[in-house]
Amino acid sequence: MPQTASQNRSIRLASRPHGAPVPDNFRLETAAVPTPGEGQLLLRTVYLSLDPYMRGRMSAGPSYAAPVEVGDVMCGGTVCRVAASRHPDYREGDWVLAYTGWQDYALSDGQGLQKLAPDMAHPSHALGILGMPGFTAYMGLLDIGQPQPGETLVVAAATGPVGGTVGQIGKLKGCRVVGIAGGAEKCRHAVETLGFDACIDHHRDDLKDALAEACPQGIDVYFENVGGKVFDAVLPLLNTRARIPVCGMIAQYNRTGLPDGPDRLPLLLETILRKRMRMQGFIISLDYGHRYREFHRDMSGWYAEGRIKYREQIVEGLENAPEAFIGLLEGRNFGKLVVQVGARD
Ligand SMILES: NC(=O)c1ccc[n+]([C@@H]2O[C@H](COP(=O)([O-])OP(=O)(O)OC[C@H]3O[C@@H](n4cnc5c(N)ncnc54)[C@H](OP(=O)(O)O)[C@@H]3O)[C@@H](O)[C@H]2O)c1
């Protein structure tokens, strides 16, 4: 069912998942397209970003942001066209970066919108390399990771918008960069296209040994995207004064309780102390908003010069968003996952 001018399809949270989300946790609803009042504009979604943090919003547990309520539209960043405007600052046809969620249309009073250049070749990039994930990679690595020439940087989810960008910035800063990714094709992409020095498939039984072999000088910066067994493989290789920006732990997002096995917290704390390491969590939207311009200037330049490569996976149709999102949490995406909800023009 494609986007139309008369109906507003939305995908809502039907129920909270227990463990991994399933299609029944989502519900597609249809309503009339709303009409903008004075001072408002009507936004038509062209691209919807799918991101791992949305899994957290589906649950009611404690987090840095409020959950989506059952029955509400799933949240998400979007690139929209202004379909109608009664707002002095916007005209029909303008491109904007918005946060209107998994739906065809939304009203806005202009708050929180960011206008995009009308001649942007790839407006969807505002959801990836030139947007939140690229910004996350840039600030997490440069501000917290502080990579130095000759150091070894390790990053997992290495072909995604965060990990792929972290590794490439690491190369620009003169590091040896080792990626960790799911499968041979992703690992090949990390090395041959993104320019990593090595990439290890985390499905390998000998992950620990393979990572040790790829990091003969140990690890100075570990950019944490996944947690779980990847962190277990990294921990013994960390060098004195290693830095660990804690960005995400996608391997744990679907967990329903603490993992089995021995308590490794004492080992972690002892390693932090003995090696005088620094681990720091960050939430890009809360911690770094004031440095967005700096990021945008550098990343736009690097991207335009071909020094940073970017891979997108576009899924056609709003109705396919739930399945694509479920796949993201299982590593079935290959590159920044974006849903094409409606036509560009
Ligand atoms: N702190 C912040 O402000 C912030 C902002 C944005 C993103 N993040 C975090 O950054 C991380 C990467 O985000 P992204 O948008 O770039 O996602 P992404 O790489 O496009 O997608 C997630 C990837 O995670 C990997 N993965 C999933 N389950 C895994 C597991 N059990 N073990 C190892 N890898 C697994 C998969 O890649 P493989 O197939 O290669 O394993 C999957 O493709 C996420 O943890 C996200 O929550 C944090």
Side-chain angles (χ1 to χ4, degrees), residues 50-53 64 132-133 136 156-164 180-183 186 202-203 223-227 229-230 246-253 282-285 327-337:
L50 293 182
D51 297 277
Y53 75 83
Y64 61 91
M132 185 277 282
T136 301
T159 61
V162 175
I180 298 172
K186 287 185 177 180
H202 63 77
H203 299 305
F223 191 101
E224 175 61 297
N225 273 337
V226 306
K229 68 179 183 185
V230 172
V246 181
C247 175
M249 281 161 292
I250 194 164
Q252 293 163 214
Y253 291 173
F282 71 104
I283 301 295
I284 192 67
S285 54
L328 173 77
L329 298 171
E330 296 169 358
R332 279 193 270 126
N333 65 308
F334 190 173
K336 168 64 199 153
L337 192 56

Side-chain angles (χ1 to χ4, degrees), residues 76-92:
T78 51
V79 165
C80 300
R81 285 211 113 155
V82 175
S85 178
R86 297 185 65 192
H87 189 291
D89 299 340
Y90 293 89
R91 287 208 320 244
E92 191 179 323

Side-chain angles (χ1 to χ4, degrees), residues 181-205:
E185 196 189 355
K186 287 185 177 180
C187 285
R188 209 166 29 249
H189 176 76
V191 173
E192 292 178 4
T193 304
L194 305 182
F196 287 29
D197 296 285
C199 187
I200 312 296
D201 181 353
H202 63 77
H203 299 305
R204 287 173 65 156
D205 291 335

Side-chain angles (χ1 to χ4, degrees), residues 79-237:
V79 165
C80 300
R81 285 211 113 155
V82 175
S85 178
R86 297 185 65 192
H87 189 291
D89 299 340
Y90 293 89
R91 287 208 320 244
E92 191 179 323
D94 283 350
W95 283 105
V96 294
L97 178 64
Y99 198 77
T100 50
W102 300 25
Q103 57 186 341
D104 283 316
Y105 293 94
L107 293 177
S108 166
D109 61 5
Q111 283 223 4
L113 297 184
Q114 188 186 316
K115 261 195 203 181
L116 300 175
D119 56 350
M120 212 175 159
H122 302 287
S124 60
H125 288 187
L127 300 169
I129 188 69
L130 299 177
M132 185 277 282
F135 190 25
T136 301
Y138 179 93
M139 292 310 330
L141 181 63
L142 296 181
D143 195 55
I144 303 174
Q146 301 193 2
Q148 305 301 314
E151 288 192 329
T152 298
L153 160 69
V154 171
V155 62
T159 61
V162 175
T165 311
V166 164
Q168 293 181 86
I169 299 173
K171 287 305 299 175
L172 292 180
K173 298 294 172 190
C175 294
R176 172 175 174 77
V177 174
V178 177
I180 298 172
E185 196 189 355
K186 287 185 177 180
C187 285
R188 209 166 29 249
H189 176 76
V191 173
E192 292 178 4
T193 304
L194 305 182
F196 287 29
D197 296 285
C199 187
I200 312 296
D201 181 353
H202 63 77
H203 299 305
R204 287 173 65 156
D205 291 335
D206 63 345
L207 172 63
K208 282 187 176 174
D209 293 342
L211 186 63
E213 203 175 308
C215 303
Q217 309 295 326
I219 298 172
D220 301 293
V221 183
Y222 173 55
F223 191 101
E224 175 61 297
N225 273 337
V226 306
K229 68 179 183 185
V230 172
F231 188 75
D232 290 342
V234 164
L235 186 61
L237 301 176

Side-chain angles (χ1 to χ4, degrees), residues 48-77:
L48 163 68
S49 181
L50 293 182
D51 297 277
Y53 75 83
M54 293 168 175
R55 174 62 189 85
R57 301 288 204 282
M58 296 177 78
S59 295
S63 182
Y64 61 91
V68 174
E69 294 301 332
V70 173
D72 281 359
V73 178
M74 282 290 297
C75 62

Side-chain angles (χ1 to χ4, degrees), residues 294-313:
E294 176 192 335
F295 150 73
H296 203 265
R297 183 201 59 215
D298 283 353
M299 190 58 74
S300 306
W302 291 336
Y303 186 63
E305 292 159 9
R307 299 173 79 194
I308 295 274
K309 304 275 191 301
Y310 176 58
R311 182 182 172 116
E312 231 178 20
Q313 181 185 347

